[in-house]
Amino acid sequence: MGTTMYADFPDTLDAWLERIEACHPSEIDLGLERIRQVAERLELKLDRSRVVTVAGTNGKGSTVTLLDAILRQAGYTTGVYTSPHFLRYNERIRINGAEASDAGICEAFVRIEQARGDISLTYFEYGTLAALICFEQASPDVLLLEVGLGGRLDAVNIVDSDVAVITSIAIDHADWLGDDREQIGREKAGVLRAGKPLVCGDPNPPVSVRESAAAGKAQLLVKGEEFSYGATGGAWSWRGVDREGGALEYTDLVLPELPLTNAATVLQVLSLLKLDVSPEQICAGLAAARMTGRMQRLELADTDSPCVLDVAHNPEAAGYLANWMADHPVAGKTHLVLGMLADKDIAAVMELLAPQVDIWHLASLVGARAASSAQLRALLPAGQEFVCYDDVETALLCAKNALLSGDRLVVAGSFFTVSDALAALKLEG
């Protein structure tokens, strides 16, 4: 993007991102007052789109991806907002599967700067408003908004949803959300709206979620209660309720590449959106859905070994990854490149993954929150074979060179780890 008509503003997306990153004194500053004031000044109108807001500890991204894939197979237009990104900021804002352009995002930032006055916004708040501006212009049939952190006070929550979703509830981000499931559940349930459905993919939701739904007069649908699923052989089936409360059932569904538990939640959401989606379109969407960095399977150049990239960074996600590796054994060894942030439960993640890992390639990350390979080593369970590295790229290339026929390479632990690995492999997901 070249010089714009706005002489006082940056003329590239990278320059804009550098600017907005420095605009607020803290990276995370939960609360809706600032962003809501700016949104009101922008006079955003999103009423032509149905809105699904997705909160949860794990599974938000795959839930959004599955919804997006099925809806587009059914002929509906979509606007998708997710975070963080892997290689390009544009990944966060997608319209009908296409990333927003540099020019479109920069123009949105200009509008925000002109509207905000002396109101300070965080990096995420800027991005959320930019996404909403892009969506207002495109006016898609459905908006799929992924919560960044928590729910009640997250910037995304300035938009009223037609259906709210909580994918799962586990301990993570305790400094901001609380250190038990009841507190965290209450924060995530803050995305519900009065009289609108709240779909909960956690089969054992905290009491706080049920209390929040009752207090907010929201229709609560819980996995294992109002909807359920089961897999047999190479297919699966689902039972739930339609928008009138009647029984609904699908059989012989295609197994997705993404977690089946999230696909089950997605089908309940779809049944409440007042859209026409056929079983054939559901199956086509399930088959087409792919995600960067979530159970992403790649073929490595110059080797016959598979590579799996997954951002698993907390115990719940690590447990899912460990179960997947156990269910998909390889003839040789599993090499794991692991990089993590120091404020995560590193010991628990390692303990869950250890039974499925033969050789650990421990990598230091960069940044204030990053854990070094030495810190990872100190928490590694006893008796594990490991090598320490200064960065992810070196760990990845050394692990790749160590692979023998029948071996497998897994990369996990953080969005930063997967991003660095993708950059090293020169892949763009």
Side-chain angles (χ1 to χ4, degrees), residues 153-334:
L153 298 176
D154 186 84
V156 164
N157 204 31
I158 64 169
V159 181
D160 291 332
S161 63
D162 295 286
V163 180
V165 184
I166 300 175
T167 56
S168 67
I169 302 165
I171 307 298
D172 201 9
H173 302 296
D175 289 346
W176 293 283
L177 304 181
D179 55 8
D180 63 56
R181 293 182 76 242
E182 291 297 335
Q183 295 179 68
I184 294 171
R186 187 171 291 105
E187 290 299 316
K188 295 187 184 303
V191 298
L192 65 79
R193 292 297 186 270
K196 299 295 178 68
L198 171 62
V199 179
C200 183
D202 192 313
N204 183 32
V207 173
S208 60
V209 171
R210 298 185 187 275
E211 290 177 344
S212 296
K217 298 181 180 179
Q219 177 191 10
L220 179 63
L221 302 99
V222 178
K223 183 183 296 174
E225 298 177 19
E226 285 74 21
F227 67 101
S228 60
Y229 71 102
T232 54
W236 66 292
S237 60
W238 178 90
R239 292 182 179 180
V241 296
D242 63 20
R243 52 184 177 261
E244 285 79 34
L248 184 63
E249 183 175 4
Y250 295 114
T251 59
D252 297 321
L253 294 168
V254 173
L255 287 170
E257 291 286 328
L258 298 174
L260 186 56
T261 182
N262 296 324
T265 300
V266 161
L267 294 194
Q268 185 56 70
V269 173
L270 285 171
S271 73
L272 302 169
L273 277 178
K274 300 183 180 179
L275 299 172
D276 293 323
V277 183
S278 71
E280 293 76 20
Q281 291 163 339
I282 288 173
C283 284
L286 290 171
R290 298 288 188 279
M291 287 190 73
T292 301
R294 277 86 157 193
M295 304 308 300
Q296 181 182 3
R297 280 164 256 187
L298 305 172
E299 295 298 325
L300 295 169
D302 305 319
T303 171
D304 62 357
S305 297
C307 178
V308 177
L309 297 94
D310 193 86
V311 296
H313 59 278
N314 55 39
E316 184 183 36
Y320 181 88
L321 177 59
N323 289 336
W324 182 89
M325 288 192 286
D327 291 339
H328 298 80
V330 291
K333 294 182 177 181
T334 292

Side-chain angles (χ1 to χ4, degrees), residues 23 38 41 111-121 126:
C23 276
V38 180
R41 293 179 185 181
R111 280 189 60 188
I112 295 165
E113 283 293 83
Q114 293 173 328
R116 74 177 181 87
D118 59 358
I119 298 173
S120 178
L121 297 172
Y126 268 103

